[in-house]
């Protein structure tokens, strides 16, 4: 009996250790920040998305003047233009919860403490040049490889060339295109693994979801904060929905099951 108990303990440990990422459609946009009044793209909002059991937590990556990868949505961090500011200068500003701007390294390390919530990494476009956005992609993929974070990370970008570059650098990576101006066939041919379009694009092109699925592409939609829009997408069997309201989306998903 004792042997049996220890055997089941080992089995439980194994199952927990190698457990899969949460199998649901909820992607928290810039983390789960809204209900708990946390700063968007903060480590705190990532932790909250993980605590809520989201499939993914989205965040945005920029490169500072002195080539440090940092996580923030806007091109400015409390009035400082990230691309024209050194990391040390950015540290003079803080989020209202006391956090500094997270480095990508710190953000990934936090996410890698668990294996339930994926890290949906957006490479931001550069206001300096398209080449600089490609440099952000290069540095980001290098960082993900250095930390061995490939299992956690999926990439998104509005930059068509950025996604193509990521696919070249890491052909196994999941990469979704955000802009909405390419057909599913064009995205597939370029190496993308999914579409992540504004939800209105799927209304304008009602054939896109079925076409994409036929090609083996996943469908995500941004940024869906309204119950009716969520229900409409769930009806069309999208894989993921990116939202500022993860709690509401969980509620809607629960009602549909
Ligand atoms: Mg984003």
């Amino acid at each position: 009996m004792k042997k049996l108990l220890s055997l089941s303990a080992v089995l439980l440990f194994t199952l927990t250790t190698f457990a899969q990422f949460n199998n649901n459609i909820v992607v928290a946009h810039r983390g789960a920040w809204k209900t708990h009044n946390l700063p968007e793209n903060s480590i705190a909002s990532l932790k909250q998305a993980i605590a809520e059991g989201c499939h993914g937590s989205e965040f945005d990556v920029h490169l500072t003047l002195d080539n440090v990868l940092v996580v923030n949505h806007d091109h400015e961090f409390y009035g400082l233009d990230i691309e024209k500011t050194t990391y040390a200068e950015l540290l003079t500003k803080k989020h209202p919860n006391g956090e500094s701007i997270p480095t990508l390294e710190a953000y990934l390390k936090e996410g890698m403490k668990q294996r339930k919530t994926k890290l949906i990494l957006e490479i931001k476009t550069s206001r300096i040049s398209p080449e600089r956005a490609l440099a952000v992609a290069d540095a980001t993929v290098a960082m993900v490889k250095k930390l061995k974070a490939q299992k956690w990370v999926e990439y998104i970008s509005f930059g068509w060339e950025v996604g193509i570059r990521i696919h070249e650098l890491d052909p196994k990576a999941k990469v979704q295109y955000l802009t909405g101006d390419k057909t599913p066939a064009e995205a597939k041919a370029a190496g993308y693994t999914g579409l992540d379009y504004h939800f209105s694009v799927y209304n304008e092109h009602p054939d896109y979801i079925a076409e994409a699925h036929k090609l083996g592409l996943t469908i995500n939609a941004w940024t869906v904060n309204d119950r009716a829009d969520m229900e409409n997408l769930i009806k069309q069997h999208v894989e993921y929905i990116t939202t500022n309201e993860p709690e509401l989306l969980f509620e809607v998903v629960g009602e549909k099951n």
Side-chain angles (χ1 to χ4, degrees):
M1 186 64 184
K2 224 177 183 178
K3 229 180 190 174
L4 200 66
L5 274 177
S6 62
L7 196 69
S8 47
V10 168
L11 189 68
L12 189 68
F13 174 77
T14 312
L15 283 174
T16 320
T17 310
F18 297 101
Q20 297 295 307
F21 287 95
N22 291 319
N23 185 21
N24 62 60
I25 67 170
V26 183
V27 176
H29 184 232
R30 309 178 195 169
W33 47 271
K34 204 169 174 186
T35 21
H36 295 265
N37 202 23
L38 300 169
E40 299 173 14
N41 271 312
S42 61
I43 298 269
S45 69
L46 167 64
K47 282 182 173 171
Q48 184 59 31
I50 293 167
E52 291 181 17
C54 298
H55 166 78
S57 188
E58 189 262 0
F59 59 102
D60 307 282
V61 174
H62 302 259
L63 195 60
T64 65
L65 178 65
D66 53 342
N67 295 325
V68 177
L69 293 162
V70 291
V71 175
N72 194 56
H73 179 264
D74 293 351
H75 284 85
E76 287 94 24
F77 186 70
Y78 300 103
L80 297 176
D81 185 334
I82 295 172
E83 291 190 278
K84 294 180 177 163
T85 307
T86 63
Y87 175 61
E89 284 174 82
L90 288 171
L91 291 180
T92 62
K93 305 280 181 181
K94 293 225 186 250
H95 278 305
N97 71 341
E99 271 186 51
S100 299
I101 191 167
T103 60
L104 174 63
E105 182 161 8
Y107 204 91
L108 292 174
K109 282 181 175 166
E110 185 62 42
M112 290 172 74
K113 290 180 183 166
Q114 51 84 52
R115 281 169 177 260
K116 291 291 184 187
T117 299
K118 288 228 171 189
L119 308 173
I120 312 299
L121 190 163
E122 178 177 348
I123 308 270
K124 293 303 279 193
T125 52
S126 167
R127 293 197 299 200
I128 295 173
S129 69
E131 291 72 32
R132 199 159 193 276
L134 293 178
V136 181
D138 292 352
T140 300
V141 172
M143 173 67 72
V144 167
K145 285 184 176 173
K146 183 184 109 179
L147 298 179
K148 299 191 167 54
Q150 291 96 325
K151 244 189 215 121
W152 283 264
V153 172
E154 296 184 15
Y155 298 91
I156 55 175
S157 186
F158 283 97
W160 178 248
E161 299 298 333
V162 166
I164 291 172
R165 175 70 72 99
I166 293 167
H167 177 65
E168 282 166 7
L169 293 169
D170 184 359
K172 283 191 188 155
K174 292 191 175 164
V175 191
Q176 300 165 14
Y177 182 51
L178 292 169
T179 304
D181 59 347
K182 301 283 183 186
T183 65
E186 285 169 328
K188 174 77 181 178
Y192 281 91
T193 60
L195 306 179
D196 183 0
Y197 288 172
H198 187 264
F199 65 91
S200 64
V201 175
Y202 302 121
N203 296 335
E204 285 156 27
H205 300 274
D207 46 341
Y208 269 15
I209 295 178
E211 260 179 59
H213 282 160
K214 221 181 275 172
L215 293 166
L217 298 171
T218 56
I219 295 284
N220 193 344
W222 56 272
T223 300
V224 187
N225 301 322
D226 181 84
R227 175 181 280 269
D229 294 324
M230 290 173 179
E231 286 173 349
N232 182 33
L233 287 161
I234 292 168
K235 243 191 281 173
Q236 297 180 75
H237 308 291
V238 300
E239 277 76 17
Y240 310 110
I241 293 176
T242 302
T243 179
N244 292 336
E245 309 277 359
E247 303 84 5
L248 171 65
L249 180 53
F250 272 120
E251 203 180 294
V252 173
V253 170
E255 287 162 13
K256 298 281 140 195
N257 286 336

